Amino acid sequence: MTRRKTSAEPAMPASVQKRRCAVYTRKSTDEGLEKEFNTLDAQRESCEAYIASQRAEGWVLVPHRYDDGGFSGGSLERPALQRLLRDIESDQVDVIVVYKIDRLSRSLMDFAKLVEVMDAHGVTFVSVTQSFNTTTSMGRLTLNILLSFAQFEREVIGERIRDKVAASKARGMWMGGKVPLGYEVANRKLVVNDAEAKGVRQVFECFTETASGTETVQRLQAQRITSKSGRLLNKGDVYKILHLRTYVGEVEHKGRIYPGEHQAIVPRALWNKVHALLQTSPRARVAQNRRHQTALLKGLIFGLDGRALSPTHSRKKGRMYRYYVAQRVLKEEPTGGDDILRRISAAQIEGAVIGQVRALLRQPEIVAGGWLAAQQEAPDLSEEDARDALARLDPLWEELFPAEQQRIIHALVDRVVVGPTGADIRLRVEGLGSLARDLGRGGRAA
């Protein structure tokens, strides 16, 4: 609000030095600021009237407004205050006028910093309801006393708020803040968002299957599970979700757990299973997954006699060597002749099959054929979505867990026949259809 000069106001004597006055106003909350005449306007009106009463002393109002609506006095990080400090440092202000000193700051330490800046540039400070001048020792003493009470009042208010939050959380109430994925807010309470809640449950289910944050993220990103902002979930998001007790219908406050008013998203049994896994170190979980891995080609690899080869392993000097062994060798039957392969290195044959599959995924005509096959059961799947989904597999292959690699291999490999002279790898191109459909719709493969 700009005060207009009236004929009743006395003229400034020519011999009086001009004192440029800046009015600073503040309100801790933004409640009521939308009104045509709000508390900031009321503060400013009182300050302008005080400046007008000092016109004979050379006081004049600067044209700039310094209003901080919705900012606490416990910090100096306020836009209008920072702008005022810059104007002080550039010698544009001589006097700061406020309604009460706590409008400028409620912190004794912060106010000491402000006074230091004012003194360095010859600026004085005036409160229209608490008359004193910071250039005198008595004014400084009065200021420190008033600020001590202002800081005490702020700390008491903070204690009351903390006590209220603790009591409310003990009753299971949601006390605001960032709304968790899977919930919305209605009447100041958390209510389940069914679409997002499904994604949250998938986070827990994927982790119980993989016991790996990295593998869980890969699956969730393939399924296009996102945060509330639409960003794909990352590893940090996954672990925050897994540790948030809100999802099991509880409220946590300073280490204490209370039953919440809101509905749980995750069943207790699933929560317990996940947290039992989290008690184990990531390195131990990976090692456990590796120990329980199944052979990649189990059920797919055969000898020339038509009988399946069985996976086996041996250890030598602490290292494990894996093989696929012919049934005749396992059952100690006579091998008959040189046309029977007794055993083959698992790493060697699995590497050859994986190479064939990855080469398959790089051929555009094969991928297009997979999309056409997938359309029979997923007519809404676009060729671009199918191509992008299949293309993600190749660069991520090495990061997939063995169980996931095995699932893909069984979808794309019909049979592997091995003999003394080599291997015949028969691929299932039609398997690309179901794989593209699963991935394009958000399947679990990558």
Side-chain angles (χ1 to χ4, degrees), residues 145-159:
I145 293 172
L146 291 174
L147 277 174
S148 296
F149 277 102
Q151 182 168 329
F152 172 73
E153 181 186 11
R154 180 168 65 93
E155 291 172 356
V156 169
I157 292 172
E159 289 176 0

Side-chain angles (χ1 to χ4, degrees), residues 272-296:
N272 291 340
K273 189 174 181 180
V274 165
H275 281 260
L277 289 171
L278 289 172
Q279 295 302 313
T280 308
S281 70
R283 182 173 296 179
R285 293 200 303 267
V286 169
Q288 187 176 16
N289 280 336
R290 300 297 183 189
R291 285 197 302 269
H292 290 88
Q293 69 183 12
T294 55
L296 192 65

Side-chain angles (χ1 to χ4, degrees), residues 39-56:
T39 185
L40 297 181
D41 296 319
Q43 292 178 43
R44 185 172 182 83
E45 188 174 74
S46 297
C47 293
E48 288 183 355
Y50 186 87
I51 293 171
S53 69
Q54 302 297 315
R55 185 173 179 79

Side-chain angles (χ1 to χ4, degrees), residues 294-302 324 350 353 357 397 402-416 426-432 434-435:
T294 55
L296 192 65
L297 300 180
K298 184 178 180 180
L300 295 178
I301 185 168
F302 298 85
Y324 290 95
E350 288 174 359
V353 172
V357 169
W397 182 269
E404 203 59 41
Q405 292 179 350
Q406 185 189 47
R407 191 176 78 88
I408 297 171
I409 291 298
H410 278 246
L412 301 180
V413 177
D414 181 54
R415 194 178 183 92
V416 179
R426 303 171 190 175
L427 301 176
R428 296 176 62 245
V429 178
E430 62 273 13
L432 278 174
S434 60
L435 191 60

Side-chain angles (χ1 to χ4, degrees), residues 160-275:
R160 289 174 182 169
I161 292 174
R162 288 191 292 272
D163 290 343
K164 180 181 178 181
V165 170
S168 299
K169 288 200 170 187
R171 296 175 57 188
M173 299 174 63
W174 183 70
M175 295 304 295
K178 187 176 181 180
V179 181
L181 182 68
Y183 290 97
E184 300 291 346
V185 176
N187 298 323
R188 298 185 179 182
K189 293 185 178 181
L190 292 178
V191 295
V192 176
N193 179 318
D194 292 331
E196 292 181 0
K198 182 179 178 182
V200 171
R201 284 189 289 271
Q202 284 178 288
V203 173
F204 281 81
E205 290 166 357
C206 282
F207 190 81
T208 59
E209 294 175 12
T210 65
S212 164
T214 301
E215 177 70 4
T216 297
V217 168
Q218 291 169 0
R219 290 190 179 190
L220 296 173
Q221 290 185 351
Q223 297 175 54
R224 313 301 294 175
I225 305 296
T226 64
S227 64
K228 279 191 174 291
S229 64
R231 173 181 53 79
L232 289 176
L233 296 181
N234 57 35
K235 196 170 180 178
D237 297 327
V238 166
Y239 279 106
K240 285 180 183 178
I241 289 173
L242 294 177
H243 285 90
L244 188 61
R245 287 190 169 271
T246 305
Y247 294 125
V248 77
E250 296 176 340
V251 173
E252 183 176 6
H253 182 63
K254 293 187 175 180
R256 295 189 176 184
I257 309 300
Y258 306 100
E261 291 184 335
H262 59 280
Q263 180 183 347
I265 288 177
V266 177
R268 173 68 64 175
L270 180 57
W271 172 274
N272 291 340
K273 189 174 181 180
V274 165
H275 281 260

